[in-house]
Amino acid sequence: MDTTQIAAAVKKGDTALGIELGSTRIKAVLIGPDHAPIATGAYDWENRLENGVWTYHLDDVWTGIQAAFRELREEVQSRYGVPLTTLGAMGVSAMMHGYLPFGQNGEQLCEFRTWRNTITEAEAQELTQLFQFNIPQRWSIAHLYRAIRQGEAHVKDIAFLTTLEGYVHWKLTGKKVLGVGEAAGMFPLDETGRFHPRMMAQFDEILQQRNIPWRLEDILPEILVAGDPAGELTPEGAKLLDPTGTLQAGIPLCPPEGDAGTGMTATNSVSARTGNVSAGTSIFAMVVLEHPLSQVHPEIDMVATPAGLPAAMVHCNTCTSDLDAWVKLFAELLNSAGAPLPKSQLYDLLYHKALEGAADCGGVVSYNCYSGEPVIHLEEGRPLLMRLPESQLTLGNFMRAQLYAAMATLRLGMEILYGEHVALEKLYGHGGLFKTKGVGQRLMAGALGVPVAVMETAGEGGPWGMALLAMYRKNRRPGDTLEGYLQEQVFAQAKGEELPPDPADAAGFAAYLKRYQAGLAVERAAGAALT
């Protein structure tokens, strides 16, 4: 589309907006009728560790959303010469799951407890045993059960429990709803896509025993699937999003989804035998299943696509945080030496150095754990670099070890799916780890033993996926499916590159992973010793 066509689409409202609250950035993406991005806006933020809990303040949520939307709106005005007064549809996404309880009058009852917290291990294990269904530590029900067991005063006053995108959607529309993919991370679903009635009854027995005056169905959001109407932007919501009053109310919204669902959408990985890897602050793989797993695995989350198909998730809490910290250190060195490099150029240089390193990193091993890591049963994380005295500490080996560390726990989780004979033709990669062309993609293929494809649109990530879900809500016709819409309307002409596993990389990663597993005792000891 040319500038004139885009301007006409903006004026007509033939657009869709996706907003995603990621771990380090809030980003807004506006797409046109051809599904291509036409404007973006962003705001950087960081989680806080307060009283032993990883959290974000809800005031920062709105500061960030307003800043990202303002930047997007200004880009529309400057590039296309028209004000952004309306949209065809919009949707909100955020980092998955966590714990956000509210009282009868809409008041926040305790701090937002994010996915990064690993304080619910005992509760997650107990619920897993009770339900005979894996309950990960970051799921809302695990956090709720911990609050109950700890005797937290706010529990009796809960009137609504939701996740971050569910909260934002509620404030924009007045609707207490959630997309099925994210709802599957609050509480287990049955085969029809409802909160599982047997497990709900089992948990309600716990509530009765403790004299808690509500039941789960009273406080959980309504579940919707992709394409369902999910309310409209209210005048109050429009003012929250755009305090200037330029944006009009009445815009339809699609169901809010987590970043797992938007990642699947953005990579066209919503059909059986497809999967994707999202690699940024955290790293996780989603695989859409043809058949149920044979048993409960504590390392595997059973969730759903935005359309409600069953999906297995391997989620690891840390991916690029430690790598990013080292890049900042190298940037400080270069600045001190009077030879600064632009951030993107420095990342490219260091990533390509990783390809010059030995396939097994020359004996260098890195642990990138900033927090606990359930996949490797690690309660507390401590970033750690280890090597034998005779190991070769070159820049190439060091950087390759950093990238391998970002993939190691994911591989250990994926081995469980391989053992279940899960069919997987390829994985689509997206996120910061894949920005330097060919490096993260190649090493990921070797690490996981499966072809990895990266499409040209991969850099747009979750916010673009959310915008696609909003456009699907706008354009959906009777009989349409999300899988068909994406395949026929969005990705039919998509370009990208697929890399198969390189045998040398695969063998080198296997050797690295053996050392990594052997050194986990040291990583666990570091968590206990360095407090």
Side-chain angles (χ1 to χ4, degrees), residues 15-21 26-31 62 65 69 72 87-94 164-170 172-173 177-179 226-233 241 247 251-258 262 462-474:
T15 56
L17 173 67
I19 298 174
E20 184 158 286
L21 293 92
I26 299 172
K27 188 174 181 182
V29 172
L30 185 69
I31 63 175
W62 296 109
I65 287 175
F69 183 80
L72 180 145
L87 303 161
M90 64 174 291
V92 181
S93 175
L164 183 55
E165 71 271 25
Y167 159 73
V168 174
H169 184 96
W170 172 40
L172 294 179
T173 67
V177 301
L178 206 57
D228 281 348
E232 295 182 346
L233 187 67
L241 184 58
L247 190 68
I251 296 165
L253 272 82
C254 66
E257 268 295 351
T262 59
W464 182 62
M466 194 68 241
L468 294 180
L469 290 171
M471 191 64 87
Y472 175 59
R473 156 77 180 90
K474 174 181 178 293

Short mmCIF file of all heavy atoms in Angstrom, two decimals, residues 15-21 26-31 62 65 69 72 87-94 164-170 172-173 177-179 226-233 241 247 251-258 262 462-474:
data_model
loop_
_atom_site.label_atom_id
_atom_site.label_comp_id
_atom_site.label_asym_id
_atom_site.label_seq_id
_atom_site.Cartn_x
_atom_site.Cartn_y
_atom_site.Cartn_z
N THR A 15 -8.32 -0.47 9.93
CA THR A 15 -7.04 -0.77 10.59
C THR A 15 -7.30 -1.63 11.81
O THR A 15 -8.45 -1.81 12.24
CB THR A 15 -6.33 0.52 11.03
OG1 THR A 15 -7.23 1.26 11.89
CG2 THR A 15 -5.93 1.39 9.83
N ALA A 16 -6.23 -2.15 12.39
CA ALA A 16 -6.33 -2.88 13.66
C ALA A 16 -5.10 -2.56 14.50
O ALA A 16 -3.99 -2.46 13.97
CB ALA A 16 -6.45 -4.37 13.44
N LEU A 17 -5.30 -2.42 15.80
CA LEU A 17 -4.23 -2.07 16.73
C LEU A 17 -3.98 -3.22 17.69
O LEU A 17 -4.91 -3.78 18.27
CB LEU A 17 -4.63 -0.82 17.54
CG LEU A 17 -3.70 -0.41 18.68
CD1 LEU A 17 -2.35 0.06 18.16
CD2 LEU A 17 -4.35 0.68 19.54
N GLY A 18 -2.71 -3.58 17.83
CA GLY A 18 -2.31 -4.55 18.84
C GLY A 18 -1.38 -3.90 19.85
O GLY A 18 -0.42 -3.23 19.46
N ILE A 19 -1.67 -4.07 21.12
CA ILE A 19 -0.81 -3.56 22.20
C ILE A 19 -0.35 -4.74 23.02
O ILE A 19 -1.17 -5.58 23.42
CB ILE A 19 -1.56 -2.56 23.10
CG1 ILE A 19 -2.02 -1.34 22.30
CG2 ILE A 19 -0.68 -2.12 24.28
CD1 ILE A 19 -2.89 -0.38 23.10
N GLU A 20 0.95 -4.84 23.25
CA GLU A 20 1.47 -5.94 24.08
C GLU A 20 2.37 -5.38 25.17
O GLU A 20 3.29 -4.61 24.90
CB GLU A 20 2.23 -6.96 23.24
CG GLU A 20 2.69 -8.16 24.07
CD GLU A 20 2.94 -9.40 23.23
OE1 GLU A 20 1.95 -10.01 22.78
OE2 GLU A 20 4.12 -9.74 23.01
N LEU A 21 2.10 -5.81 26.40
CA LEU A 21 2.91 -5.42 27.55
C LEU A 21 3.90 -6.55 27.81
O LEU A 21 3.60 -7.52 28.51
CB LEU A 21 2.03 -5.17 28.78
CG LEU A 21 1.10 -3.96 28.67
CD1 LEU A 21 -0.27 -4.37 28.11
CD2 LEU A 21 0.91 -3.28 30.02
N ILE A 26 6.65 -2.13 26.37
CA ILE A 26 5.25 -2.05 25.97
C ILE A 26 5.24 -1.53 24.55
O ILE A 26 5.81 -0.47 24.26
CB ILE A 26 4.46 -1.12 26.91
CG1 ILE A 26 4.49 -1.64 28.35
CG2 ILE A 26 3.03 -0.96 26.42
CD1 ILE A 26 3.88 -0.69 29.36
N LYS A 27 4.63 -2.28 23.64
CA LYS A 27 4.69 -1.91 22.23
C LYS A 27 3.31 -1.93 21.61
O LYS A 27 2.49 -2.80 21.92
CB LYS A 27 5.61 -2.85 21.46
CG LYS A 27 5.88 -2.41 20.02
CD LYS A 27 6.91 -3.30 19.33
CE LYS A 27 7.18 -2.82 17.90
NZ LYS A 27 8.14 -3.70 17.20
N ALA A 28 3.06 -0.95 20.75
CA ALA A 28 1.81 -0.86 20.00
C ALA A 28 2.12 -0.95 18.52
O ALA A 28 3.07 -0.32 18.04
CB ALA A 28 1.10 0.46 20.32
N VAL A 29 1.34 -1.74 17.79
CA VAL A 29 1.51 -1.90 16.35
C VAL A 29 0.16 -1.69 15.68
O VAL A 29 -0.83 -2.32 16.04
CB VAL A 29 2.06 -3.30 15.99
CG1 VAL A 29 2.04 -3.52 14.48
CG2 VAL A 29 3.48 -3.47 16.51
N LEU A 30 0.13 -0.79 14.69
CA LEU A 30 -1.06 -0.54 13.89
C LEU A 30 -0.87 -1.17 12.52
O LEU A 30 0.17 -0.97 11.88
CB LEU A 30 -1.29 0.97 13.74
CG LEU A 30 -2.58 1.39 13.02
CD1 LEU A 30 -3.81 1.05 13.86
CD2 LEU A 30 -2.55 2.89 12.69
N ILE A 31 -1.85 -1.98 12.08
CA ILE A 31 -1.75 -2.61 10.77
C ILE A 31 -2.89 -2.12 9.88
O ILE A 31 -3.94 -1.69 10.35
CB ILE A 31 -1.78 -4.15 10.85
CG1 ILE A 31 -3.11 -4.66 11.43
CG2 ILE A 31 -0.62 -4.67 11.68
CD1 ILE A 31 -3.26 -6.18 11.42
N TRP A 62 -0.21 2.15 32.78
CA TRP A 62 -0.91 3.18 32.01
C TRP A 62 0.05 4.24 31.48
O TRP A 62 -0.14 4.77 30.38
CB TRP A 62 -2.03 3.79 32.84
CG TRP A 62 -3.05 2.74 33.15
CD1 TRP A 62 -3.31 2.14 34.34
CD2 TRP A 62 -3.90 2.09 32.19
NE1 TRP A 62 -4.28 1.18 34.20
CE2 TRP A 62 -4.66 1.12 32.90
CE3 TRP A 62 -4.11 2.24 30.82
CZ2 TRP A 62 -5.60 0.32 32.27
CZ3 TRP A 62 -5.05 1.43 30.19
CH2 TRP A 62 -5.78 0.49 30.90
N ILE A 65 1.43 2.42 28.39
CA ILE A 65 0.46 2.27 27.30
C ILE A 65 0.21 3.62 26.64
O ILE A 65 0.19 3.73 25.40
CB ILE A 65 -0.85 1.67 27.83
CG1 ILE A 65 -0.67 0.18 28.16
CG2 ILE A 65 -1.99 1.85 26.83
CD1 ILE A 65 -1.88 -0.47 28.79
N PHE A 69 1.11 4.48 22.74
CA PHE A 69 0.05 4.91 21.82
C PHE A 69 0.31 6.31 21.30
O PHE A 69 0.08 6.60 20.11
CB PHE A 69 -1.32 4.85 22.51
CG PHE A 69 -2.45 5.21 21.59
CD1 PHE A 69 -2.95 4.27 20.70
CD2 PHE A 69 -2.99 6.49 21.58
CE1 PHE A 69 -3.98 4.60 19.82
CE2 PHE A 69 -4.02 6.83 20.70
CZ PHE A 69 -4.52 5.89 19.82
N LEU A 72 2.81 6.12 18.55
CA LEU A 72 2.18 5.56 17.35
C LEU A 72 1.28 6.60 16.68
O LEU A 72 1.32 6.77 15.45
CB LEU A 72 1.38 4.33 17.75
CG LEU A 72 0.62 3.57 16.65
CD1 LEU A 72 0.63 2.08 16.92
CD2 LEU A 72 -0.83 4.05 16.52
N LEU A 87 -10.44 3.17 14.91
CA LEU A 87 -9.79 1.93 14.50
C LEU A 87 -10.87 0.94 14.09
O LEU A 87 -12.00 1.02 14.57
CB LEU A 87 -8.98 1.34 15.65
CG LEU A 87 -7.90 2.20 16.30
CD1 LEU A 87 -7.54 1.64 17.68
CD2 LEU A 87 -6.67 2.24 15.41
N GLY A 88 -10.49 -0.02 13.24
CA GLY A 88 -11.44 -1.07 12.90
C GLY A 88 -11.62 -2.05 14.03
O GLY A 88 -12.71 -2.61 14.23
N ALA A 89 -10.55 -2.29 14.78
CA ALA A 89 -10.58 -3.20 15.93
C ALA A 89 -9.27 -3.06 16.68
O ALA A 89 -8.30 -2.50 16.15
CB ALA A 89 -10.79 -4.65 15.49
N MET A 90 -9.24 -3.56 17.89
CA MET A 90 -8.00 -3.53 18.66
C MET A 90 -8.00 -4.69 19.66
O MET A 90 -9.02 -5.31 19.93
CB MET A 90 -7.81 -2.20 19.38
CG MET A 90 -8.83 -1.88 20.44
SD MET A 90 -8.45 -0.37 21.37
CE MET A 90 -7.00 -0.91 22.29
N GLY A 91 -6.82 -4.95 20.21
CA GLY A 91 -6.69 -6.00 21.21
C GLY A 91 -5.47 -5.76 22.08
O GLY A 91 -4.52 -5.08 21.67
N VAL A 92 -5.49 -6.36 23.26
CA VAL A 92 -4.42 -6.18 24.24
C VAL A 92 -3.85 -7.53 24.62
O VAL A 92 -4.58 -8.50 24.87
CB VAL A 92 -4.95 -5.48 25.51
CG1 VAL A 92 -3.81 -5.27 26.51
CG2 VAL A 92 -5.59 -4.15 25.16
N SER A 93 -2.53 -7.59 24.69
CA SER A 93 -1.82 -8.79 25.11
C SER A 93 -0.82 -8.40 26.18
O SER A 93 -0.47 -7.22 26.33
CB SER A 93 -1.11 -9.42 23.91
OG SER A 93 -0.32 -10.51 24.31
N ALA A 94 -0.33 -9.40 26.90
CA ALA A 94 0.68 -9.13 27.93
C ALA A 94 1.41 -10.42 28.27
O ALA A 94 1.03 -11.51 27.85
CB ALA A 94 0.03 -8.53 29.19
N LEU A 164 -2.59 -9.70 33.52
CA LEU A 164 -2.31 -8.29 33.19
C LEU A 164 -3.13 -7.80 32.00
O LEU A 164 -3.73 -6.72 32.05
CB LEU A 164 -0.81 -8.12 32.91
CG LEU A 164 -0.34 -6.69 32.63
CD1 LEU A 164 -0.74 -5.74 33.74
CD2 LEU A 164 1.17 -6.67 32.41
N GLU A 165 -3.20 -8.59 30.92
CA GLU A 165 -3.99 -8.13 29.77
C GLU A 165 -5.47 -8.16 30.07
O GLU A 165 -6.24 -7.34 29.54
CB GLU A 165 -3.66 -8.92 28.51
CG GLU A 165 -4.14 -10.34 28.49
CD GLU A 165 -3.13 -11.29 29.10
OE1 GLU A 165 -2.30 -10.86 29.93
OE2 GLU A 165 -3.16 -12.48 28.74
N GLY A 166 -5.89 -9.12 30.93
CA GLY A 166 -7.29 -9.13 31.33
C GLY A 166 -7.66 -7.87 32.10
O GLY A 166 -8.76 -7.32 31.94
N TYR A 167 -6.72 -7.39 32.93
CA TYR A 167 -6.93 -6.14 33.68
C TYR A 167 -7.05 -4.95 32.73
O TYR A 167 -7.98 -4.13 32.85
CB TYR A 167 -5.78 -5.93 34.66
CG TYR A 167 -5.60 -4.51 35.12
CD1 TYR A 167 -6.49 -3.92 36.01
CD2 TYR A 167 -4.54 -3.74 34.63
CE1 TYR A 167 -6.33 -2.60 36.42
CE2 TYR A 167 -4.37 -2.43 35.03
CZ TYR A 167 -5.27 -1.86 35.92
OH TYR A 167 -5.11 -0.55 36.31
N VAL A 168 -6.12 -4.83 31.78
CA VAL A 168 -6.14 -3.70 30.86
C VAL A 168 -7.42 -3.72 30.03
O VAL A 168 -8.09 -2.70 29.84
CB VAL A 168 -4.89 -3.70 29.97
CG1 VAL A 168 -4.99 -2.61 28.89
CG2 VAL A 168 -3.63 -3.50 30.80
N HIS A 169 -7.79 -4.90 29.52
CA HIS A 169 -9.01 -5.04 28.73
C HIS A 169 -10.23 -4.62 29.54
O HIS A 169 -11.14 -3.94 29.03
CB HIS A 169 -9.15 -6.49 28.26
CG HIS A 169 -10.31 -6.72 27.34
ND1 HIS A 169 -10.19 -6.73 25.97
CD2 HIS A 169 -11.63 -6.96 27.60
CE1 HIS A 169 -11.36 -6.96 25.43
NE2 HIS A 169 -12.27 -7.11 26.40
N TRP A 170 -10.28 -5.04 30.79
CA TRP A 170 -11.38 -4.67 31.69
C TRP A 170 -11.50 -3.15 31.82
O TRP A 170 -12.60 -2.60 31.75
CB TRP A 170 -11.13 -5.35 33.03
CG TRP A 170 -12.03 -4.97 34.17
CD1 TRP A 170 -13.38 -4.74 34.13
CD2 TRP A 170 -11.64 -4.79 35.53
NE1 TRP A 170 -13.84 -4.44 35.38
CE2 TRP A 170 -12.80 -4.46 36.26
CE3 TRP A 170 -10.42 -4.91 36.20
CZ2 TRP A 170 -12.76 -4.22 37.63
CZ3 TRP A 170 -10.39 -4.68 37.57
CH2 TRP A 170 -11.55 -4.33 38.27
N LEU A 172 -10.47 -0.93 29.72
CA LEU A 172 -10.79 -0.30 28.43
C LEU A 172 -12.25 -0.54 28.03
O LEU A 172 -12.84 0.29 27.34
CB LEU A 172 -9.88 -0.83 27.34
CG LEU A 172 -8.39 -0.49 27.46
CD1 LEU A 172 -7.61 -1.10 26.30
CD2 LEU A 172 -8.16 1.03 27.49
N THR A 173 -12.82 -1.68 28.44
CA THR A 173 -14.15 -2.07 27.95
C THR A 173 -15.20 -2.27 29.04
O THR A 173 -16.40 -2.30 28.75
CB THR A 173 -14.06 -3.39 27.17
OG1 THR A 173 -13.71 -4.45 28.09
CG2 THR A 173 -13.03 -3.31 26.05
N VAL A 177 -13.25 -10.50 30.74
CA VAL A 177 -13.11 -11.65 29.84
C VAL A 177 -11.63 -11.94 29.61
O VAL A 177 -10.76 -11.13 29.94
CB VAL A 177 -13.80 -11.38 28.49
CG1 VAL A 177 -15.28 -11.08 28.68
CG2 VAL A 177 -13.13 -10.23 27.74
N LEU A 178 -11.35 -13.10 29.01
CA LEU A 178 -9.98 -13.49 28.69
C LEU A 178 -10.01 -14.47 27.53
O LEU A 178 -10.91 -15.30 27.42
CB LEU A 178 -9.33 -14.15 29.91
CG LEU A 178 -7.80 -14.10 30.03
CD1 LEU A 178 -7.29 -12.67 30.02
CD2 LEU A 178 -7.35 -14.82 31.29
N GLY A 179 -9.02 -14.35 26.65
CA GLY A 179 -8.88 -15.31 25.57
C GLY A 179 -8.55 -16.69 26.10
O GLY A 179 -7.91 -16.84 27.15
N ALA A 226 -10.70 -16.81 19.79
CA ALA A 226 -10.35 -15.85 18.75
C ALA A 226 -11.54 -15.59 17.83
O ALA A 226 -12.23 -16.52 17.42
CB ALA A 226 -9.16 -16.38 17.95
N GLY A 227 -11.79 -14.33 17.54
CA GLY A 227 -12.90 -13.94 16.69
C GLY A 227 -14.15 -13.56 17.43
O GLY A 227 -15.05 -12.90 16.87
N ASP A 228 -14.26 -13.95 18.71
CA ASP A 228 -15.45 -13.61 19.49
C ASP A 228 -15.49 -12.11 19.78
O ASP A 228 -14.44 -11.49 20.04
CB ASP A 228 -15.45 -14.35 20.82
CG ASP A 228 -15.90 -15.80 20.69
OD1 ASP A 228 -16.42 -16.16 19.63
OD2 ASP A 228 -15.72 -16.56 21.68
N PRO A 229 -16.68 -11.50 19.83
CA PRO A 229 -16.79 -10.12 20.31
C PRO A 229 -16.39 -10.07 21.78
O PRO A 229 -16.79 -10.92 22.57
CB PRO A 229 -18.27 -9.80 20.13
CG PRO A 229 -18.79 -10.82 19.16
CD PRO A 229 -17.97 -12.05 19.38
N ALA A 230 -15.61 -9.07 22.14
CA ALA A 230 -15.12 -8.97 23.52
C ALA A 230 -15.36 -7.58 24.09
O ALA A 230 -14.63 -7.14 24.98
CB ALA A 230 -13.64 -9.32 23.56
N GLY A 231 -16.39 -6.90 23.60
CA GLY A 231 -16.69 -5.58 24.12
C GLY A 231 -16.19 -4.48 23.21
O GLY A 231 -15.55 -4.72 22.18
N GLU A 232 -16.50 -3.25 23.60
CA GLU A 232 -16.09 -2.06 22.85
C GLU A 232 -15.37 -1.08 23.76
O GLU A 232 -15.58 -1.08 24.98
CB GLU A 232 -17.31 -1.39 22.22
CG GLU A 232 -18.02 -2.24 21.17
CD GLU A 232 -19.19 -1.51 20.55
OE1 GLU A 232 -19.62 -0.46 21.10
OE2 GLU A 232 -19.69 -1.97 19.50
N LEU A 233 -14.54 -0.26 23.16
CA LEU A 233 -13.82 0.78 23.91
C LEU A 233 -14.82 1.79 24.46
O LEU A 233 -15.56 2.43 23.71
CB LEU A 233 -12.81 1.46 22.99
CG LEU A 233 -11.84 2.45 23.63
CD1 LEU A 233 -10.88 1.73 24.57
CD2 LEU A 233 -11.06 3.21 22.56
N LEU A 241 -6.54 5.34 27.22
CA LEU A 241 -5.61 5.02 26.15
C LEU A 241 -5.03 6.29 25.53
O LEU A 241 -3.83 6.36 25.25
CB LEU A 241 -6.33 4.18 25.08
CG LEU A 241 -5.51 3.66 23.91
CD1 LEU A 241 -4.35 2.79 24.38
CD2 LEU A 241 -6.42 2.86 22.97
N LEU A 247 -8.95 9.91 20.18
CA LEU A 247 -9.46 8.59 19.82
C LEU A 247 -10.91 8.45 20.30
O LEU A 247 -11.22 8.72 21.45
CB LEU A 247 -8.59 7.50 20.43
CG LEU A 247 -8.88 6.08 19.95
CD1 LEU A 247 -8.50 5.91 18.49
CD2 LEU A 247 -8.13 5.06 20.80
N ILE A 251 -14.84 1.44 19.58
CA ILE A 251 -14.00 0.54 18.79
C ILE A 251 -14.16 -0.88 19.34
O ILE A 251 -14.02 -1.10 20.54
CB ILE A 251 -12.52 0.98 18.86
CG1 ILE A 251 -12.35 2.34 18.21
CG2 ILE A 251 -11.60 -0.05 18.21
CD1 ILE A 251 -11.03 3.01 18.54
N PRO A 252 -14.43 -1.88 18.47
CA PRO A 252 -14.57 -3.26 18.96
C PRO A 252 -13.22 -3.85 19.36
O PRO A 252 -12.20 -3.58 18.72
CB PRO A 252 -15.16 -4.01 17.76
CG PRO A 252 -14.80 -3.20 16.57
CD PRO A 252 -14.74 -1.76 17.03
N LEU A 253 -13.23 -4.65 20.41
CA LEU A 253 -12.02 -5.34 20.87
C LEU A 253 -12.18 -6.84 20.70
O LEU A 253 -13.28 -7.38 20.79
CB LEU A 253 -11.72 -5.02 22.33
CG LEU A 253 -10.87 -3.75 22.56
CD1 LEU A 253 -11.73 -2.50 22.50
CD2 LEU A 253 -10.11 -3.82 23.86
N CYS A 254 -11.05 -7.50 20.45
CA CYS A 254 -11.01 -8.96 20.40
C CYS A 254 -10.62 -9.47 21.79
O CYS A 254 -10.20 -8.70 22.65
CB CYS A 254 -10.02 -9.43 19.35
SG CYS A 254 -8.29 -9.03 19.69
N PRO A 255 -10.76 -10.76 22.04
CA PRO A 255 -10.38 -11.28 23.35
C PRO A 255 -8.91 -11.01 23.67
O PRO A 255 -8.05 -11.18 22.81
CB PRO A 255 -10.65 -12.78 23.22
CG PRO A 255 -11.70 -12.89 22.15
CD PRO A 255 -11.38 -11.79 21.19
N PRO A 256 -8.61 -10.59 24.88
CA PRO A 256 -7.20 -10.37 25.27
C PRO A 256 -6.47 -11.70 25.38
O PRO A 256 -7.04 -12.68 25.85
CB PRO A 256 -7.31 -9.67 26.63
CG PRO A 256 -8.64 -10.11 27.17
CD PRO A 256 -9.54 -10.30 26.00
N GLU A 257 -5.22 -11.72 24.94
CA GLU A 257 -4.45 -12.96 24.94
C GLU A 257 -3.07 -12.73 25.58
O GLU A 257 -2.60 -11.60 25.66
CB GLU A 257 -4.26 -13.50 23.53
CG GLU A 257 -5.32 -14.50 23.09
CD GLU A 257 -5.31 -15.78 23.91
OE1 GLU A 257 -4.39 -16.01 24.71
OE2 GLU A 257 -6.26 -16.59 23.75
N GLY A 258 -2.45 -13.83 26.00
CA GLY A 258 -1.09 -13.76 26.52
C GLY A 258 -0.07 -13.74 25.39
O GLY A 258 -0.40 -13.95 24.22
N THR A 262 -0.11 -14.71 21.16
CA THR A 262 0.25 -13.78 20.08
C THR A 262 1.49 -14.26 19.35
O THR A 262 1.62 -14.03 18.14
CB THR A 262 0.48 -12.36 20.64
OG1 THR A 262 1.53 -12.38 21.62
CG2 THR A 262 -0.79 -11.82 21.27
N GLY A 462 4.96 -10.24 19.10
CA GLY A 462 3.65 -10.36 19.72
C GLY A 462 2.66 -9.24 19.44
O GLY A 462 1.48 -9.51 19.23
N PRO A 463 3.09 -7.96 19.47
CA PRO A 463 2.11 -6.89 19.21
C PRO A 463 1.47 -7.01 17.83
O PRO A 463 0.29 -6.72 17.66
CB PRO A 463 2.95 -5.62 19.33
CG PRO A 463 4.15 -6.00 20.09
CD PRO A 463 4.41 -7.45 19.82
N TRP A 464 2.28 -7.45 16.85
CA TRP A 464 1.73 -7.67 15.52
C TRP A 464 0.76 -8.85 15.55
O TRP A 464 -0.31 -8.80 14.94
CB TRP A 464 2.87 -7.92 14.53
CG TRP A 464 2.42 -8.13 13.11
CD1 TRP A 464 1.75 -7.23 12.34
CD2 TRP A 464 2.60 -9.29 12.30
NE1 TRP A 464 1.51 -7.76 11.09
CE2 TRP A 464 2.02 -9.03 11.04
CE3 TRP A 464 3.22 -10.52 12.52
CZ2 TRP A 464 2.03 -9.96 10.00
CZ3 TRP A 464 3.24 -11.45 11.49
CH2 TRP A 464 2.65 -11.17 10.25
N GLY A 465 1.12 -9.92 16.28
CA GLY A 465 0.21 -11.04 16.43
C GLY A 465 -1.10 -10.61 17.06
O GLY A 465 -2.18 -11.08 16.66
N MET A 466 -1.04 -9.71 18.04
CA MET A 466 -2.27 -9.21 18.66
C MET A 466 -3.09 -8.40 17.67
O MET A 466 -4.33 -8.51 17.63
CB MET A 466 -1.92 -8.34 19.88
CG MET A 466 -3.10 -8.05 20.78
SD MET A 466 -3.70 -9.53 21.63
CE MET A 466 -5.36 -9.66 21.02
N ALA A 467 -2.42 -7.60 16.84
CA ALA A 467 -3.13 -6.84 15.81
C ALA A 467 -3.79 -7.77 14.80
O ALA A 467 -4.90 -7.50 14.32
CB ALA A 467 -2.15 -5.89 15.10
N LEU A 468 -3.13 -8.90 14.48
CA LEU A 468 -3.74 -9.88 13.58
C LEU A 468 -5.01 -10.47 14.19
O LEU A 468 -6.02 -10.67 13.49
CB LEU A 468 -2.75 -10.99 13.26
CG LEU A 468 -1.50 -10.62 12.45
CD1 LEU A 468 -0.63 -11.86 12.22
CD2 LEU A 468 -1.86 -9.98 11.11
N LEU A 469 -4.96 -10.78 15.48
CA LEU A 469 -6.16 -11.30 16.15
C LEU A 469 -7.29 -10.26 16.14
O LEU A 469 -8.47 -10.62 16.00
CB LEU A 469 -5.83 -11.71 17.58
CG LEU A 469 -4.95 -12.96 17.73
CD1 LEU A 469 -4.51 -13.14 19.18
CD2 LEU A 469 -5.68 -14.21 17.25
N ALA A 470 -6.92 -8.99 16.28
CA ALA A 470 -7.93 -7.93 16.22
C ALA A 470 -8.52 -7.83 14.81
O ALA A 470 -9.74 -7.68 14.64
CB ALA A 470 -7.32 -6.60 16.64
N MET A 471 -7.67 -7.93 13.79
CA MET A 471 -8.16 -7.86 12.41
C MET A 471 -9.04 -9.08 12.09
O MET A 471 -10.03 -8.96 11.35
CB MET A 471 -6.99 -7.76 11.43
CG MET A 471 -7.40 -7.41 10.00
SD MET A 471 -8.15 -5.76 9.83
CE MET A 471 -6.68 -4.75 9.61
N TYR A 472 -8.68 -10.23 12.63
CA TYR A 472 -9.52 -11.41 12.46
C TYR A 472 -10.89 -11.18 13.09
O TYR A 472 -11.92 -11.55 12.51
CB TYR A 472 -8.83 -12.63 13.09
CG TYR A 472 -9.64 -13.90 13.08
CD1 TYR A 472 -10.08 -14.47 11.89
CD2 TYR A 472 -9.94 -14.56 14.27
CE1 TYR A 472 -10.82 -15.65 11.88
CE2 TYR A 472 -10.68 -15.74 14.27
CZ TYR A 472 -11.11 -16.28 13.08
OH TYR A 472 -11.84 -17.45 13.08
N ARG A 473 -10.92 -10.58 14.25
CA ARG A 473 -12.19 -10.22 14.89
C ARG A 473 -13.00 -9.29 13.98
O ARG A 473 -14.22 -9.45 13.83
CB ARG A 473 -11.89 -9.54 16.23
CG ARG A 473 -12.97 -8.61 16.78
CD ARG A 473 -14.12 -9.38 17.39
NE ARG A 473 -15.14 -8.47 17.90
CZ ARG A 473 -16.16 -8.01 17.20
NH1 ARG A 473 -16.30 -8.35 15.93
NH2 ARG A 473 -17.05 -7.20 17.74
N LYS A 474 -12.35 -8.35 13.32
CA LYS A 474 -13.04 -7.40 12.45
C LYS A 474 -13.56 -8.06 11.18
O LYS A 474 -14.69 -7.78 10.74
CB LYS A 474 -12.07 -6.26 12.08
CG LYS A 474 -12.59 -5.26 11.07
CD LYS A 474 -11.54 -4.20 10.79
CE LYS A 474 -12.02 -3.20 9.73
NZ LYS A 474 -12.17 -3.82 8.40
#
